[in-house]
C-alpha cells in the first residue's frame, strides 16, 4: 500500500471570514461522535505492538479508515501493506479492525508471521454467525458494499454460502436456491434505515428469511446516526469529519441530508471547510465518524469559531462506556504484568 502523505501545513491555514447572517450563529455538536471501542482497541493495539516489538510493525490494510490516524502511525514506525506477502518472513503483522478471512490468517501463518488480530469484536461476532449459519446449511445474504474490507473478511468465512447484496435495489433481483433456508447478515457500518429497507425488500420475496441472532450494525454506527438525525432537522449545514473510505462517515452525510439538513459535507481536516458553505448559514451541525480522533473535530470547531460560530451546544442522544480488551498478545507488559491499557486505554470519549 502506498504511504499516505501527512498533512503538514507549510503555510498558515486560510482563516474563514466572519460574515454577517440574519440571526444568531451557533454550532450543534452531535454526541456520541468519533472513536468507538473497536477503533480505540485497534489503534492502541498498533501503538502497543510498536512499543513492545519495536519498529517496524506491519499492518494489513489501513488499521482504521482515517487518513490522520494512519499517517500518525506511519510516523511512529507502522508500515501499511495490502497483503501479507509484502511482509518479511518472521515479522509482526496486525490485522485491521475490519477483520480478515481465514485465507489471510493462513497466508500469514505460512510466512511465519507473528499475527496480532485487531479485528473489532463486533465484526468477529458477524464472522461467527456466518460460520454457524453456513454449517447449518443456510444461504447467507450479506448486506454490505462489495469490495469493502469488512465484507471481504466476512464473506471469506463462508465463501460458498455468501451472496453480497449491495443495495435495496439488488434485493429485488438476488436469487437463492431454497427460500426456506436463507438468512441475512450485514456489514457493521451501514445506514440503519437503508439496511432495513433492504431487509424488508428481501422479506417480501423470501417470507421465511431468518434474522441474525442480534443486530449486526454496531452500536456506535447506530448511535452516531441517531445523534445526527436529531441535529440535522435544525441545521442549515452539517459538517462530518471523516475520511472518504470510511463507510460510516459517508453514511452520516447521507443521513444528515435525509433528515433535514439543507447541506452536508465530509472533510478530513478543518482546512477543507469552504467559506461558501457558510454563506447565509445560522446553524452548523458537526459530527465525526467512528474512526476519527477528537482533535480533528476540535480543529473544525476552532475554524468555525473564527467565522463567528462561537456558541456551541452539544446534542447528546446516548452515553457510551464500552471498552474492549486488547488482543491477548498485548495485555501484559514486557515483564509479564497486566498492562494498564489492557482495555484499550482511552477512557475519555465523546
Amino acid at each position: 500500500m502506498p504511504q499516505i502523505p501527512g498533512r503538514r501545513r507549510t503555510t498558515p491555514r486560510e482563516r474563514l471570514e466572519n460574515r454577517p447572517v440574519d440571526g444568531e450563529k451557533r454550532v450543534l455538536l452531535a454526541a456520541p461522535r468519533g472513536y468507538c471501542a473497536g477503533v480505540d482497541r485497534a489503534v492502541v493495539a498498533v501503538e502497543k505492538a510498536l512499543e513492545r516489538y519495536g519498529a517496524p510493525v506491519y499492518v494489513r490494510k489501513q488499521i482504521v479508515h482515517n487518513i490522520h490516524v494512519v499517517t500518525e502511525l506511519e510516523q511512529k514506525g507502522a508500515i501499511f501493506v495490502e497483503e501479507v506477502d509484502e511482509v518479511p518472513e518472521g515479522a509482526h503483522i496486525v490485522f485491521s479492525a475490519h477483520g480478515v478471512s481465514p485465507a489471510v490468517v493462513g497466508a500469514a501463518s505460512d510466512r511465519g508471521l507473528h499475527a496480532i488480530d485487531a479485528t473489532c469484536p463486533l465484526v468477529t461476532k458477524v464472522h461467527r454467525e456466518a460460520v454457524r449459519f453456513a454449517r447449518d446449511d443456510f444461504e447467507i445474504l450479506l448486506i454490505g458494499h462489495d469490495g469493502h474490507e469488512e465484507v471481504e473478511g466476512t464473506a471469506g468465512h463462508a465463501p460458498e454460502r455468501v451472496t453480497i447484496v449491495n443495495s435495496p435495489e439488488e434485493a429485488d433481483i438476488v436469487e437463492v436456491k431454497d427460500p426456506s433456508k436463507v438468512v441475512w447478515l450485514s456489514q457493521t457500518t451501514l445506514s440503519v434505515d437503508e439496511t432495513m429497507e433492504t431487509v424488508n425488500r428481501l422479506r417480501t420475496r423470501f417470507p421465511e428469511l431468518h434474522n441474525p441472532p442480534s443486530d449486526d450494525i454496531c452500536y456506535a454506527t447506530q448511535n452516531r446516526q441517531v445523534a445526527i438525525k436529531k441535529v440535522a432537522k435544525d441545521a442549515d449545514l452539517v459538517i462530518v469529519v471523516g475520511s472518504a473510505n470510511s463507510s460510516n462517515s459517508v453514511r452520516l452525510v447521507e443521513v444528515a441530508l435525509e433528515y433535514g439538513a439543507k447541506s452536508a459535507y465530509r472533510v478530513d481536516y478543518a482546512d477543507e471547510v469552504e467559506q461558501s458553505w457558510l454563506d447565509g448559514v445560522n446553524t452548523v451541525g458537526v459530527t465525526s465518524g467512528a474512526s476519527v480522533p477528537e482533535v480533528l473535530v476540535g480543529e473544525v470547531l476552532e475554524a468555525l469559531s473564527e467565522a463567528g460560530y462561537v456558541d456551541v451546544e452539544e446534542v447528546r442522544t446516548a452515553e457510551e462506556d464500552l471498552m474492549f480488551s486488547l488482543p491477548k498478545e498485548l495485555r501484559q507488559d514486557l515483564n509479564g504484568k497486566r498492562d494498564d491499557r489492557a482495555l484499550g486505554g482511552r477512557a475519555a470519549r465523546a
Side-chain angles (χ1 to χ4, degrees):
M1 176 182 293
Q3 287 202 340
I4 298 173
R7 292 293 300 272
R8 300 182 184 88
R9 295 192 183 97
T10 56
T11 57
R13 176 177 58 81
E14 184 176 346
R15 295 170 66 93
L16 298 172
E17 297 178 16
N18 186 357
R19 296 178 180 175
V21 298
D22 294 332
E24 298 295 323
K25 291 182 174 182
R26 62 172 180 162
V27 173
L28 298 179
L29 181 60
R33 64 185 175 275
Y35 267 13
C36 65
V39 164
D40 189 22
R41 174 182 186 265
V43 174
V44 173
V46 177
E47 293 171 345
K48 291 296 297 178
L50 287 165
E51 291 173 12
R52 172 162 299 186
Y53 307 116
V57 166
Y58 294 83
V59 184
R60 183 184 180 272
K61 308 290 188 179
Q62 293 187 10
I63 185 66
V64 297
H65 285 162
N66 184 264
I67 185 175
H68 179 82
V69 171
V70 170
T71 300
E72 284 204 328
L73 291 174
E74 283 178 336
Q75 292 168 353
K76 293 177 180 179
I79 296 178
F80 292 85
V81 298
E82 280 294 309
E83 297 299 345
V84 297
D85 60 8
E86 301 172 50
V87 181
E89 292 185 7
H92 289 86
I93 186 168
V94 180
F95 297 143
S96 81
H98 305 105
V100 298
S101 69
V104 172
V105 175
S109 178
D110 290 343
R111 291 186 63 77
L113 303 181
H114 300 282
I116 299 168
D117 188 0
T119 302
C120 173
L122 300 180
V123 175
T124 299
K125 176 186 78 73
V126 183
H127 291 177
R128 291 171 177 164
E129 290 171 353
V131 171
R132 179 167 69 84
F133 282 112
R135 185 182 62 236
D136 293 341
D137 205 29
F138 277 82
E139 290 183 70
I140 300 167
L141 299 179
L142 177 58
I143 302 172
H145 300 135
D146 198 4
H148 189 281
E149 292 152 38
E150 181 188 326
V151 171
E152 290 179 347
T154 299
H157 280 75
E160 304 302 319
R161 291 285 175 174
V162 169
T163 299
I164 298 169
V165 182
N166 282 278
S167 66
E169 291 71 28
E170 286 195 11
D172 296 335
I173 59 175
V174 66
E175 297 294 336
V176 301
K177 295 177 182 177
D178 182 356
S180 68
K181 292 281 285 186
V182 62
V183 63
W184 70 272
L185 303 177
S186 78
Q187 181 180 333
T188 63
T189 56
L190 299 180
S191 160
V192 177
D193 294 338
E194 183 175 347
T195 300
M196 294 317 300
E197 180 184 351
T198 302
V199 171
N200 291 336
R201 291 197 190 190
L202 288 171
R203 198 175 303 282
T204 298
R205 298 185 61 218
F206 313 120
E208 297 182 65
L209 179 71
H210 287 68
N211 297 319
S214 60
D215 198 344
D216 284 347
I217 297 179
C218 90
Y219 76 97
T221 297
Q222 295 188 55
N223 286 347
R224 281 145 190 73
Q225 290 177 15
V226 169
I228 202 59
K229 287 176 183 179
K230 188 170 183 179
V231 166
K233 63 184 178 63
D234 297 317
D236 302 307
L237 163 69
V238 165
I239 297 173
V240 176
V241 186
S243 290
N245 62 340
S246 167
S247 178
N248 74 88
S249 297
V250 173
R251 299 288 85 71
L252 286 171
V253 175
E254 297 170 352
V255 170
L257 291 170
E258 183 179 352
Y259 278 81
K262 295 177 182 176
S263 61
Y265 299 94
R266 181 203 55 78
V267 300
D268 272 296
Y269 294 94
D271 58 10
E272 296 170 14
V273 177
E274 297 185 15
Q275 183 72 52
S276 61
W277 299 352
L278 302 174
D279 289 345
V281 166
N282 294 101
T283 301
V284 181
V286 174
T287 190
S288 59
S291 53
V292 177
E294 185 67 8
V295 63
L296 300 183
V297 177
E299 291 176 358
V300 168
L301 295 177
E302 179 183 354
L304 291 172
S305 177
E306 294 171 358
Y309 299 88
V310 295
D311 180 11
V312 179
E313 175 187 348
E314 187 174 71
V315 179
R316 180 169 292 277
T317 56
E319 299 290 340
E320 293 181 357
D321 56 8
L322 182 64
M323 298 184 76
F324 294 131
S325 295
L326 287 176
K328 61 182 183 298
E329 299 87 352
L330 304 174
R331 293 176 195 168
Q332 296 180 337
D333 63 22
L334 292 175
N335 297 318
K337 296 182 180 179
R338 181 176 173 83
D339 194 284
D340 290 339
R341 292 198 296 173
L343 279 173
R346 294 185 179 87
R349 192 179 291 115

